[in-house]
Amino acid sequence: MDKYTALAERVAKLEAKLKQTQALVDRLYEDAEQERLASNNAVDEGISLDNLLRRLTDRQALILGGVLENFSSEEIAKLGNISPNTVRTHMRYIYKKAEVNQRHQLITKYQRYWEQMDDETFERLTGGKVKRPRFEKPSN
């Protein structure tokens, strides 16, 4: 075997190893991308809105609806004929049941699902004990 043939064979082997390595790297990138997409799409948010609504009292469901409609505690209090302190007390229980610590977390976690939920689904999830709240800003 002459010098050039041996060199050509060595180059061919290295190219084959390079292709195998590149294929492995490509698979790793694809797997990492799939994991990233799965984690973005996963409901890593704890309890679902469906399960949360099943756990809430009528009053808490009303208050949650007000929060998800971006009403202040004072506005929700006026609509529910309760004090703002009562709203805040219910909010603490809602946070606990929703596994969040703050209002903005609750909104971030559930608002998209709230907007997509129809009235029948809401009534079914709450066991028909409460109709889906319809909110209009209270007049001052």
Side-chain angles (χ1 to χ4, degrees):
M1 195 183 298
D2 67 358
K3 191 176 181 180
Y4 295 108
T5 306
L7 186 58
E9 286 178 7
R10 189 168 178 204
V11 167
K13 286 180 183 179
L14 288 173
E15 285 176 343
K17 283 187 178 185
L18 179 62
K19 283 182 183 179
Q20 288 175 344
T21 303
Q22 188 60 48
L24 178 61
V25 168
D26 290 344
R27 276 195 303 260
L28 290 172
Y29 274 118
E30 287 173 16
D31 290 348
E33 182 65 11
Q34 287 176 355
E35 285 181 32
R36 185 187 67 77
L37 290 173
S39 69
N40 286 347
N41 293 331
V43 181
D44 180 23
E45 302 157 344
I47 186 170
S48 70
L49 181 58
D50 294 1
N51 288 332
L52 177 61
L53 285 171
R54 288 186 184 103
R55 296 167 123 188
L56 298 179
T57 65
D58 295 358
R59 181 63 52 93
Q60 290 169 348
L62 177 74
I63 291 169
L64 174 63
V67 168
L68 295 177
E69 295 283 343
N70 293 314
F71 280 63
S72 68
S73 294
E74 291 75 22
E75 292 169 328
I76 295 169
K78 281 184 185 178
L79 288 170
N81 293 320
I82 55 178
S83 78
N85 285 337
T86 302
V87 172
R88 286 190 268 289
T89 299
H90 281 296
M91 287 302 301
R92 283 195 297 272
Y93 290 114
I94 293 169
Y95 293 161
K96 186 175 182 179
K97 290 177 182 181
E99 301 173 354
V100 298
N101 297 314
Q102 297 175 346
R103 186 183 191 110
H104 75 89
Q105 292 172 322
L106 188 70
I107 292 169
T108 300
K109 191 171 179 178
Y110 295 115
Q111 192 165 40
R112 177 174 47 126
Y113 302 108
W114 173 261
E115 291 168 353
Q116 295 172 352
M117 184 179 289
D118 60 21
D119 294 345
E120 288 178 21
T121 303
F122 179 84
E123 288 181 37
R124 179 179 50 78
L125 292 172
T126 58
K129 23 177 208 179
V130 62
K131 296 228 180 265
R132 183 167 181 178
R134 292 284 170 237
F135 295 96
E136 293 179 17
K137 293 276 184 184
S139 56
N140 292 328

